[in-house]
Amino acid sequence: MSTSSGINADLGLKLKRFVTPDHPEVNYAQAEKGIKAWLTTVDHKKIGLMYLGAIAFFFFIGGLLALLLRAELWTPAKTFLDADAYNQVFTLHGAIMIFLVLVPSVPAALGNFFLPIMVGAKDVAFPRLNLLSFYIYLAGATFSLYSIVTGAVDTGWTFYTPYSATTGTSVVSMTLGVFILGFSSILTGLNFIVTLHKLRVPGLTWGKLPLFCWSLYATSVIQILATPVLAITLMLLVMERTLKIGIFDPALGGDPVLYQHFFWFYSHPAVYIMILPGFGIISEIIAIFSKRRIFGYWFIALSSMAIALIGFLVWGHHMFVSGQSTLSSIVFSLITFFVGIPTGIKIFNWVATMYKGSISMRTPMWYAMIFLFLFTIGGFTGVTLGTLSVDVHLHDTYYVVAHFHYVMMGGMLIAFLGGLHLWWPKMTGRMYNERWANIAAFLIFTGFNMTFFTQFILGAKGMPRRYYNYIDQFQSLHQFSTVGTWVLALGFTIILIYLLQSLGKKGVIASKNPWNGRSLEWLTTTPPVLENFTYTPVVIHGPYDFHKPIAEFEYGIESHGHGHHDASVHHSNEESVNA
């Protein structure tokens, strides 16, 4: 019996392909060609890829600035940068990495590409608004880059007053750039929420939604509620600099601590804007490569919403030494510990999912393992810094720098790399070199720990952050940390090379479902067709039901625009059936 007839017999359904002359099976890259078609497209997949390209460019710039920082710290005195240049470099590194890379990375790039496919929609709810969000992002990025060449900002990425209100550097253009970027973030979040509420296909209930979608939903809520606070704060700072209105500057009758309250009311939830989508990616990877139904689905889904809520209540733990009352500090410290509960639930459930699973250690799974190790360290050190008595001593030391990077880079960026390797075959139709991918993952893990675990030791010994010079006793640790950045840079360079090589003629063509996943993005063509599916899918099983045959998931009704309601099975190749 042939493979297709075998499926037909198993399900007792009529086999029918939904491809018509009006809707040929042409992938999204072939459907619209040329630069103009890309720049004016409203296809969410192409917009996601344009975001990915822009984010990779800014990551390259931010990474070069990080290498400059660490190279300057090779010696206790001046190496090659003067003090002012050093301040400008670490400010631009932080601002670019946070506002141009980490905040938009997963939602704008991978989320834009896969969220509509995961819910079975043709596109996001507002396709033109989606394209506008991208151009707003480019506009904000342009202002930020303009600030680099016109007296780069030297305030630190937090733009703390009163210094930011009085320094002669390009604070206005940089803060206007971040202000503009906020609108892109808000519009993207709005688009995702409406898409999840209104465009889910038949059968896709909230309980069958992939956890990546849940994480983007929680992220979108934070983006819409928190980002306006940052926008207003930065506009007040610009008004103070240009119109001399006394809001934050004590010389004008303002209160600099008020700026800290406003800024961290956004920026601590922004930590979860950056990390929550990473949680969603890790949930997908662990389920797929363990071949097990996710343990505690609703606990993971609702813990994302809990993190989004609690994240608004803990901004004061950034201000333990800013003069706030002892009672306020105790309350903020207590609430900070509560944030660890939903995060701990996720880590426990991921480990429980892997328990007795049929684990396949492919590249995305290696990144998930790296994530679990690094993010757990970041979480535990966060609890340490949330402890009032300890934070007073560790505040403004390299311990904080290390903690922040273990959460953001060890968490968010590693998850992003895992998601990129998970979905690269689906996005491009090509497989990358698995051997080189594993080597790169090992180098990134090694280089990251060399760089930042060393900084925990530096901070515990009393090395203050953001200092241009340091005492001789810290030199060996600083040099070891700097060597770690070179290992990191090598790992990222290898990733760039093999991903670009996979797009060439020597790249191995990817099958429709190389990882044997169960969510909707694995049931469409590779790469996806222009409108994502050649049929309207109907969801009859959950995205993590790995105990069911893959054939049961390839089920759909109604061809595009033809109103045909004959229940049918859709399949593309024997590979997915034999899985």
Side-chain angles (χ1 to χ4, degrees), residues 318-399:
H318 295 272
M319 303 169 58
F320 284 157
V321 297
S322 65
Q324 67 184 5
S325 71
T326 303
L327 177 60
S328 296
S329 295
I330 292 172
V331 171
F332 281 123
S333 178
L334 179 63
I335 301 175
T336 300
F337 298 149
F338 283 120
V339 178
I341 296 174
T343 308
I345 287 172
K346 288 180 183 294
I347 292 175
F348 173 82
N349 285 13
W350 290 329
V351 173
T353 300
M354 289 187 287
Y355 180 65
K356 291 188 177 180
S358 179
I359 296 176
S360 173
M361 292 307 299
R362 304 294 292 273
T363 302
M365 192 62 173
W366 279 118
Y367 279 110
M369 295 296 98
I370 293 171
F371 172 93
L372 287 176
F373 181 82
L374 299 182
F375 184 78
T376 301
I377 293 176
F380 277 127
T381 53
V383 173
T384 302
L385 291 171
T387 305
L388 184 57
S389 58
V390 178
D391 182 75
V392 169
H393 296 282
L394 295 176
H395 194 83
D396 271 338
T397 69
Y398 263 80
Y399 194 96

Coordinates of all heavy atoms in Angstrom, one line a residue, residues 318-399:
H318 N 15.5 48.6 42.0 CA 16.7 49.3 41.3 C 17.1 50.5 42.1 O 18.1 51.1 41.8 CB 16.3 49.7 39.9 CG 16.0 48.5 39.0 ND1 17.0 47.9 38.3 CD2 14.9 47.9 38.7 CE1 16.5 47.0 37.5 NE2 15.2 46.9 37.8
M319 N 16.4 50.8 43.2 CA 16.6 52.1 43.9 C 16.8 52.0 45.4 O 16.5 52.8 46.1 CB 15.4 53.0 43.6 CG 15.1 53.2 42.1 SD 13.5 54.0 41.8 CE 13.7 55.5 42.7
F320 N 17.4 50.8 45.8 CA 17.6 50.6 47.2 C 18.5 51.6 47.8 O 18.5 51.9 49.0 CB 18.2 49.2 47.4 CG 17.1 48.1 47.3 CD1 17.5 46.8 47.0 CD2 15.8 48.3 47.5 CE1 16.6 45.8 46.9 CE2 14.8 47.3 47.4 CZ 15.2 46.0 47.1
V321 N 19.5 52.2 47.0 CA 20.4 53.1 47.6 C 20.1 54.6 47.1 O 21.0 55.4 47.2 CB 21.9 52.7 47.2 CG1 22.2 51.4 47.8 CG2 22.0 52.7 45.7
S322 N 18.9 54.8 46.6 CA 18.6 56.1 46.1 C 17.9 57.0 47.1 O 17.5 58.1 46.8 CB 17.7 56.0 44.9 OG 16.4 55.4 45.2
G323 N 17.7 56.5 48.4 CA 17.2 57.3 49.4 C 15.7 57.1 49.7 O 15.1 57.8 50.5
Q324 N 15.1 56.1 49.1 CA 13.7 55.8 49.4 C 13.6 55.2 50.8 O 14.5 54.7 51.4 CB 13.1 54.8 48.3 CG 13.7 53.4 48.4 CD 13.1 52.5 47.2 OE1 12.4 53.0 46.4 NE2 13.5 51.3 47.2
S325 N 12.4 55.2 51.3 CA 12.2 54.8 52.7 C 12.5 53.4 52.9 O 12.4 52.5 52.0 CB 10.7 55.1 53.1 OG 9.9 54.2 52.5
T326 N 12.8 53.0 54.1 CA 13.2 51.6 54.5 C 12.0 50.7 54.2 O 12.1 49.6 53.7 CB 13.6 51.5 55.9 OG1 14.7 52.4 56.2 CG2 14.0 50.1 56.3
L327 N 10.8 51.2 54.6 CA 9.6 50.4 54.3 C 9.4 50.1 52.9 O 9.1 48.9 52.5 CB 8.4 51.1 54.9 CG 7.0 50.4 54.7 CD1 7.0 49.0 55.4 CD2 5.9 51.2 55.2
S328 N 9.6 51.1 52.0 CA 9.4 50.9 50.6 C 10.4 49.9 50.1 O 10.1 49.0 49.3 CB 9.6 52.2 49.8 OG 8.6 53.2 50.2
S329 N 11.6 50.0 50.5 CA 12.7 49.0 50.1 C 12.3 47.6 50.5 O 12.5 46.6 49.7 CB 14.0 49.4 50.7 OG 14.5 50.7 50.1
I330 N 11.8 47.4 51.7 CA 11.5 46.1 52.2 C 10.3 45.5 51.4 O 10.3 44.3 51.0 CB 11.1 46.1 53.7 CG1 12.3 46.5 54.6 CG2 10.4 44.8 54.1 CD1 12.0 46.7 56.0
V331 N 9.3 46.3 51.1 CA 8.2 45.9 50.2 C 8.7 45.5 48.8 O 8.3 44.4 48.3 CB 7.1 47.0 50.2 CG1 6.0 46.6 49.1 CG2 6.5 47.2 51.5
F332 N 9.5 46.3 48.2 CA 10.0 46.0 46.9 C 10.8 44.8 46.9 O 10.8 44.0 46.0 CB 10.8 47.2 46.3 CG 9.9 48.3 45.7 CD1 10.0 49.6 46.2 CD2 9.0 48.0 44.7 CE1 9.2 50.6 45.7 CE2 8.2 49.0 44.2 CZ 8.3 50.3 44.7
S333 N 11.6 44.6 48.0 CA 12.4 43.4 48.1 C 11.5 42.1 48.2 O 11.8 41.1 47.5 CB 13.3 43.5 49.3 OG 14.1 42.3 49.5
L334 N 10.5 42.2 48.9 CA 9.6 41.1 49.1 C 8.9 40.7 47.8 O 8.8 39.5 47.4 CB 8.5 41.4 50.2 CG 7.5 40.3 50.5 CD1 8.1 39.1 51.0 CD2 6.4 40.9 51.4
I335 N 8.4 41.7 47.1 CA 7.7 41.5 45.8 C 8.7 40.9 44.8 O 8.3 40.1 44.0 CB 7.0 42.8 45.3 CG1 6.0 43.3 46.3 CG2 6.3 42.5 43.9 CD1 5.4 44.6 45.9
T336 N 9.9 41.3 44.9 CA 11.0 40.8 43.9 C 11.1 39.3 44.1 O 11.2 38.6 43.1 CB 12.3 41.5 44.2 OG1 12.2 42.9 44.0 CG2 13.4 40.9 43.3
F337 N 11.0 38.8 45.3 CA 11.1 37.3 45.5 C 9.9 36.6 44.8 O 10.1 35.5 44.4 CB 11.2 37.0 47.0 CG 12.4 37.6 47.7 CD1 12.3 38.0 49.0 CD2 13.6 37.8 47.0 CE1 13.4 38.5 49.7 CE2 14.7 38.3 47.7 CZ 14.6 38.6 49.0
F338 N 8.8 37.3 44.8 CA 7.6 36.6 44.2 C 7.8 36.4 42.7 O 7.2 35.5 42.1 CB 6.3 37.5 44.4 CG 5.8 37.3 45.8 CD1 5.7 38.4 46.7 CD2 5.4 36.1 46.3 CE1 5.2 38.3 48.0 CE2 4.9 36.0 47.6 CZ 4.8 37.1 48.4
V339 N 8.6 37.3 42.0 CA 8.8 37.1 40.6 C 9.5 35.8 40.3 O 9.3 35.2 39.3 CB 9.7 38.3 40.0 CG1 9.9 38.1 38.6 CG2 8.9 39.6 40.2
G340 N 10.3 35.3 41.3 CA 11.0 34.1 41.1 C 10.1 32.9 41.1 O 10.5 31.8 40.6
I341 N 8.9 33.0 41.6 CA 8.0 31.8 41.7 C 7.5 31.4 40.3 O 7.7 30.2 39.9 CB 6.8 32.1 42.6 CG1 7.3 32.3 44.1 CG2 5.8 31.0 42.6 CD1 6.3 32.7 45.1
P342 N 6.9 32.3 39.5 CA 6.5 31.8 38.2 C 7.7 31.4 37.3 O 7.5 30.5 36.4 CB 5.7 33.0 37.6 CG 6.1 34.2 38.4 CD 6.4 33.7 39.8
T343 N 8.8 32.1 37.4 CA 10.0 31.7 36.7 C 10.5 30.3 37.1 O 10.8 29.5 36.2 CB 11.1 32.7 36.9 OG1 10.6 34.0 36.6 CG2 12.3 32.4 35.9
G344 N 10.5 30.0 38.4 CA 10.9 28.7 38.8 C 9.9 27.6 38.4 O 10.3 26.5 38.1
I345 N 8.6 28.0 38.3 CA 7.6 27.0 37.8 C 8.0 26.6 36.3 O 7.9 25.4 36.0 CB 6.2 27.6 37.8 CG1 5.7 27.7 39.2 CG2 5.2 26.9 36.9 CD1 4.4 28.5 39.4
K346 N 8.4 27.6 35.5 CA 8.7 27.3 34.1 C 9.9 26.3 34.1 O 9.9 25.3 33.4 CB 9.1 28.6 33.4 CG 7.9 29.4 33.1 CD 8.4 30.7 32.3 CE 7.2 31.6 32.1 NZ 6.2 31.1 31.1
I347 N 11.0 26.6 34.8 CA 12.2 25.8 34.8 C 11.9 24.4 35.3 O 12.3 23.4 34.7 CB 13.3 26.5 35.6 CG1 13.8 27.8 34.9 CG2 14.5 25.5 35.8 CD1 14.8 28.5 35.7
F348 N 11.1 24.3 36.4 CA 10.7 22.9 36.8 C 9.9 22.2 35.8 O 10.2 21.0 35.5 CB 9.9 23.1 38.1 CG 9.3 21.8 38.6 CD1 10.0 20.9 39.3 CD2 8.0 21.4 38.3 CE1 9.5 19.7 39.8 CE2 7.4 20.2 38.7 CZ 8.2 19.3 39.4
N349 N 9.0 22.8 35.1 CA 8.2 22.1 34.1 C 9.0 21.7 32.9 O 8.7 20.7 32.3 CB 7.0 23.0 33.7 CG 5.9 23.1 34.8 OD1 6.1 22.7 35.9 ND2 4.8 23.6 34.4
W350 N 10.0 22.6 32.5 CA 10.8 22.2 31.4 C 11.7 20.9 31.7 O 11.8 20.0 30.9 CB 11.8 23.4 31.0 CG 11.1 24.5 30.4 CD1 10.0 24.5 29.6 CD2 11.5 25.9 30.5 NE1 9.6 25.8 29.2 CE2 10.5 26.7 29.8 CE3 12.5 26.6 31.2 CZ2 10.6 28.0 29.7 CZ3 12.6 28.0 31.1 CH2 11.6 28.7 30.3
V351 N 12.2 20.9 32.9 CA 13.0 19.7 33.3 C 12.1 18.5 33.4 O 12.5 17.4 33.0 CB 13.7 20.0 34.7 CG1 14.4 18.7 35.2 CG2 14.7 21.1 34.5
A352 N 10.9 18.7 33.9 CA 9.9 17.6 34.0 C 9.5 17.1 32.6 O 9.3 15.9 32.4 CB 8.7 18.0 34.8
T353 N 9.4 18.0 31.7 CA 9.1 17.6 30.3 C 10.2 16.7 29.7 O 9.9 15.7 29.0 CB 8.9 18.8 29.4 OG1 7.9 19.6 29.9 CG2 8.6 18.4 28.0
M354 N 11.5 17.0 30.0 CA 12.6 16.2 29.5 C 12.7 14.9 30.2 O 13.2 13.9 29.6 CB 13.9 17.0 29.7 CG 14.0 18.2 28.8 SD 15.6 19.0 28.9 CE 15.5 19.8 30.5
Y355 N 12.2 14.8 31.4 CA 12.3 13.5 32.2 C 11.7 12.4 31.5 O 10.5 12.4 31.1 CB 11.6 13.7 33.6 CG 11.7 12.5 34.5 CD1 12.9 12.0 34.9 CD2 10.5 11.8 34.8 CE1 13.0 10.9 35.7 CE2 10.6 10.7 35.7 CZ 11.8 10.3 36.1 OH 11.9 9.1 36.9
K356 N 12.4 11.3 31.2 CA 12.0 10.1 30.5 C 11.6 10.4 29.0 O 10.8 9.7 28.4 CB 10.9 9.4 31.2 CG 11.3 8.8 32.5 CD 10.2 7.9 33.1 CE 10.8 7.2 34.4 NZ 9.7 6.3 35.0
G357 N 12.0 11.6 28.5 CA 11.7 11.9 27.1 C 12.7 11.3 26.2 O 13.8 10.9 26.6
S358 N 12.3 11.2 24.9 CA 13.2 10.7 23.9 C 14.0 11.9 23.3 O 13.7 12.5 22.3 CB 12.4 10.0 22.8 OG 13.3 9.6 21.7
I359 N 15.1 12.3 24.1 CA 15.7 13.6 23.8 C 16.7 13.4 22.6 O 17.5 12.5 22.5 CB 16.5 14.1 25.0 CG1 15.5 14.3 26.2 CG2 17.4 15.3 24.7 CD1 16.2 14.7 27.5
S360 N 16.6 14.4 21.7 CA 17.5 14.4 20.5 C 18.3 15.7 20.7 O 17.8 16.8 20.6 CB 16.6 14.5 19.2 OG 17.4 14.7 18.1
M361 N 19.6 15.5 20.8 CA 20.5 16.6 21.1 C 21.0 17.3 19.7 O 22.1 17.1 19.3 CB 21.7 16.2 21.9 CG 21.4 15.8 23.3 SD 20.4 17.1 24.2 CE 21.6 18.5 24.2
R362 N 20.0 18.0 19.1 CA 20.4 18.8 17.9 C 20.7 20.2 18.4 O 20.5 20.5 19.6 CB 19.2 18.7 16.9 CG 18.8 17.4 16.5 CD 19.8 16.6 15.7 NE 20.0 17.3 14.4 CZ 19.3 17.0 13.3 NH1 18.4 16.1 13.4 NH2 19.5 17.6 12.1
T363 N 21.1 21.0 17.4 CA 21.6 22.4 17.8 C 20.6 23.2 18.6 O 20.9 23.8 19.7 CB 22.0 23.2 16.6 OG1 23.0 22.4 15.9 CG2 22.5 24.5 16.9
P364 N 19.3 23.3 18.2 CA 18.3 24.0 19.1 C 18.3 23.5 20.5 O 18.2 24.3 21.5 CB 17.0 23.8 18.3 CG 17.4 23.5 16.9 CD 18.6 22.7 17.0
M365 N 18.4 22.2 20.7 CA 18.3 21.6 22.0 C 19.6 22.0 22.8 O 19.5 22.2 24.1 CB 18.1 20.1 22.0 CG 17.8 19.5 23.3 SD 16.2 20.1 23.9 CE 15.9 19.0 25.4
W366 N 20.7 22.0 22.2 CA 21.9 22.5 22.9 C 21.7 23.9 23.4 O 22.1 24.2 24.5 CB 23.1 22.4 22.0 CG 23.7 21.1 21.8 CD1 23.8 20.3 20.7 CD2 24.3 20.3 22.9 NE1 24.4 19.1 20.9 CE2 24.8 19.1 22.3 CE3 24.5 20.5 24.2 CZ2 25.4 18.1 23.0 CZ3 25.1 19.5 25.0 CH2 25.6 18.3 24.3
Y367 N 21.1 24.8 22.6 CA 20.9 26.1 23.1 C 19.9 26.2 24.2 O 20.0 27.0 25.1 CB 20.4 27.0 21.9 CG 21.5 27.5 21.1 CD1 21.7 27.0 19.8 CD2 22.5 28.5 21.5 CE1 22.8 27.5 19.0 CE2 23.5 28.9 20.8 CZ 23.7 28.4 19.5 OH 24.7 28.8 18.7
A368 N 18.9 25.3 24.2 CA 18.0 25.2 25.3 C 18.7 24.8 26.6 O 18.4 25.3 27.7 CB 16.8 24.2 25.0
M369 N 19.6 23.8 26.5 CA 20.4 23.4 27.7 C 21.3 24.5 28.2 O 21.4 24.7 29.4 CB 21.3 22.2 27.3 CG 20.5 20.9 26.9 SD 19.5 20.2 28.3 CE 17.9 20.9 27.9
I370 N 21.9 25.2 27.3 CA 22.7 26.4 27.7 C 21.8 27.4 28.3 O 22.2 28.0 29.4 CB 23.4 27.0 26.4 CG1 24.4 26.0 25.8 CG2 24.1 28.3 26.8 CD1 25.0 26.4 24.5
F371 N 20.7 27.7 27.8 CA 19.7 28.6 28.4 C 19.4 28.2 29.8 O 19.4 29.1 30.8 CB 18.4 28.7 27.6 CG 17.3 29.5 28.2 CD1 17.2 30.8 27.9 CD2 16.4 28.9 29.1 CE1 16.2 31.6 28.5 CE2 15.4 29.7 29.7 CZ 15.3 31.0 29.4
L372 N 19.0 27.0 30.1 CA 18.7 26.5 31.4 C 19.8 26.8 32.4 O 19.6 27.2 33.5 CB 18.3 25.0 31.4 CG 16.9 24.7 30.8 CD1 16.7 23.2 30.7 CD2 15.8 25.4 31.5
F373 N 21.0 26.5 32.0 CA 22.2 26.7 32.9 C 22.4 28.2 33.2 O 22.5 28.6 34.3 CB 23.4 26.0 32.2 CG 24.6 26.1 33.1 CD1 24.9 25.2 34.1 CD2 25.6 27.1 32.9 CE1 26.0 25.3 34.9 CE2 26.7 27.2 33.6 CZ 26.9 26.4 34.7
L374 N 22.5 29.0 32.1 CA 22.9 30.4 32.3 C 21.7 31.2 32.9 O 22.0 32.0 33.8 CB 23.2 31.0 30.9 CG 24.4 30.4 30.2 CD1 24.7 31.1 28.9 CD2 25.7 30.4 31.1
F375 N 20.5 30.9 32.5 CA 19.4 31.7 33.0 C 19.1 31.4 34.5 O 18.8 32.3 35.3 CB 18.1 31.5 32.2 CG 17.0 32.4 32.7 CD1 17.0 33.7 32.4 CD2 16.0 31.9 33.5 CE1 15.9 34.6 32.8 CE2 15.0 32.7 34.0 CZ 15.0 34.0 33.6
T376 N 19.4 30.1 34.9 CA 19.2 29.8 36.3 C 20.2 30.5 37.2 O 19.9 31.0 38.2 CB 19.4 28.3 36.5 OG1 18.4 27.6 35.7 CG2 19.2 27.9 37.9
I377 N 21.4 30.7 36.7 CA 22.4 31.5 37.4 C 22.0 32.9 37.5 O 22.0 33.5 38.5 CB 23.8 31.4 36.7 CG1 24.4 29.9 36.9 CG2 24.8 32.4 37.3 CD1 25.7 29.7 36.1
G378 N 21.5 33.4 36.4 CA 21.0 34.8 36.3 C 19.8 35.0 37.3 O 19.7 36.0 38.0
G379 N 18.9 34.0 37.4 CA 17.8 34.1 38.3 C 18.2 34.1 39.8 O 17.7 34.9 40.6
F380 N 19.1 33.2 40.1 CA 19.6 33.1 41.5 C 20.3 34.3 41.9 O 20.1 34.8 43.1 CB 20.4 31.8 41.7 CG 19.7 30.6 41.9 CD1 19.9 29.4 41.1 CD2 18.7 30.5 42.9 CE1 19.2 28.3 41.3 CE2 18.0 29.3 43.1 CZ 18.2 28.2 42.3
T381 N 21.1 34.9 41.1 CA 21.8 36.1 41.4 C 20.9 37.3 41.5 O 21.2 38.3 42.2 CB 23.0 36.4 40.4 OG1 22.5 36.4 39.1 CG2 24.1 35.3 40.5
G382 N 19.8 37.2 40.8 CA 18.8 38.2 40.9 C 18.1 38.2 42.2 O 17.8 39.3 42.8
V383 N 17.9 37.0 42.8 CA 17.3 36.9 44.1 C 18.4 37.5 45.1 O 18.0 38.2 46.1 CB 17.0 35.4 44.5 CG1 16.6 35.3 45.9 CG2 15.9 34.9 43.6
T384 N 19.6 37.2 44.9 CA 20.7 37.8 45.7 C 20.6 39.3 45.7 O 20.6 40.0 46.8 CB 22.1 37.4 45.2 OG1 22.1 35.9 45.2 CG2 23.2 37.9 46.1
L385 N 20.5 39.9 44.5 CA 20.4 41.4 44.5 C 19.1 41.9 45.0 O 19.0 43.1 45.3 CB 20.7 41.8 43.0 CG 22.1 41.6 42.5 CD1 22.1 41.9 41.0 CD2 23.1 42.5 43.2
G386 N 18.1 41.1 45.0 CA 16.8 41.5 45.5 C 16.8 41.6 47.0 O 15.8 42.1 47.7
T387 N 17.8 40.9 47.6 CA 17.9 40.9 49.1 C 18.5 42.3 49.5 O 19.7 42.6 49.2 CB 18.8 39.8 49.6 OG1 18.3 38.6 49.0 CG2 18.9 39.7 51.1
L388 N 17.8 43.0 50.3 CA 18.1 44.4 50.6 C 19.5 44.6 51.2 O 20.3 45.4 50.7 CB 17.1 45.0 51.5 CG 17.2 46.5 51.9 CD1 17.2 47.3 50.6 CD2 16.0 46.9 52.8
S389 N 19.8 43.8 52.2 CA 21.1 44.0 52.9 C 22.3 43.6 52.0 O 23.4 44.2 52.1 CB 21.2 43.1 54.1 OG 21.0 41.7 53.8
V390 N 22.1 42.7 51.0 CA 23.2 42.3 50.1 C 23.4 43.3 49.0 O 24.5 43.7 48.6 CB 23.0 40.9 49.6 CG1 24.0 40.5 48.6 CG2 22.9 39.9 50.7
D391 N 22.2 43.8 48.5 CA 22.3 44.7 47.4 C 23.0 46.0 47.7 O 23.6 46.6 46.9 CB 20.8 45.0 46.9 CG 20.8 45.9 45.7 OD1 21.1 45.5 44.6 OD2 20.5 47.2 45.9
V392 N 22.9 46.5 49.0 CA 23.5 47.7 49.4 C 25.0 47.6 49.1 O 25.7 48.6 48.7 CB 23.3 48.0 50.8 CG1 24.1 49.1 51.3 CG2 21.8 48.4 51.0
H393 N 25.6 46.4 49.3 CA 27.0 46.2 49.1 C 27.4 45.9 47.6 O 28.5 46.3 47.2 CB 27.6 45.1 50.0 CG 27.4 45.4 51.4 ND1 28.3 46.2 52.1 CD2 26.5 45.0 52.4 CE1 27.9 46.3 53.4 NE2 26.8 45.6 53.5
L394 N 26.5 45.3 46.9 CA 26.8 44.9 45.5 C 26.3 45.9 44.5 O 26.7 45.8 43.3 CB 26.2 43.5 45.2 CG 26.8 42.3 46.0 CD1 26.0 41.0 45.7 CD2 28.3 42.1 45.7
H395 N 25.5 46.8 44.9 CA 25.0 47.8 44.0 C 26.1 48.6 43.3 O 27.1 48.9 43.9 CB 24.1 48.8 44.7 CG 23.2 49.6 43.8 ND1 22.0 49.1 43.4 CD2 23.3 50.9 43.4 CE1 21.5 50.1 42.6 NE2 22.2 51.1 42.6
D396 N 25.9 48.8 42.0 CA 26.9 49.5 41.2 C 28.3 48.8 41.1 O 29.3 49.5 41.0 CB 27.1 51.0 41.7 CG 26.1 51.9 41.0 OD1 25.6 51.5 39.9 OD2 25.8 53.0 41.5
T397 N 28.3 47.5 41.3 CA 29.5 46.8 41.1 C 29.4 45.9 39.8 O 28.3 45.8 39.3 CB 29.9 45.9 42.3 OG1 28.9 44.8 42.3 CG2 29.9 46.6 43.6
Y398 N 30.5 45.2 39.5 CA 30.4 44.3 38.3 C 29.5 43.1 38.6 O 29.1 42.4 37.6 CB 31.8 43.8 37.9 CG 32.4 44.7 36.8 CD1 33.0 45.9 37.1 CD2 32.4 44.2 35.5 CE1 33.5 46.7 36.1 CE2 33.0 45.0 34.5 CZ 33.5 46.2 34.8 OH 34.0 46.9 33.7
Y399 N 29.1 42.9 39.8 CA 28.2 41.8 40.1 C 26.9 42.1 39.4 O 26.2 41.1 38.8 CB 28.0 41.7 41.6 CG 27.3 40.4 42.1 CD1 28.0 39.3 42.5 CD2 25.9 40.3 42.1 CE1 27.4 38.2 42.9 CE2 25.3 39.2 42.5 CZ 26.0 38.1 42.9 OH 25.4 36.9 43.3

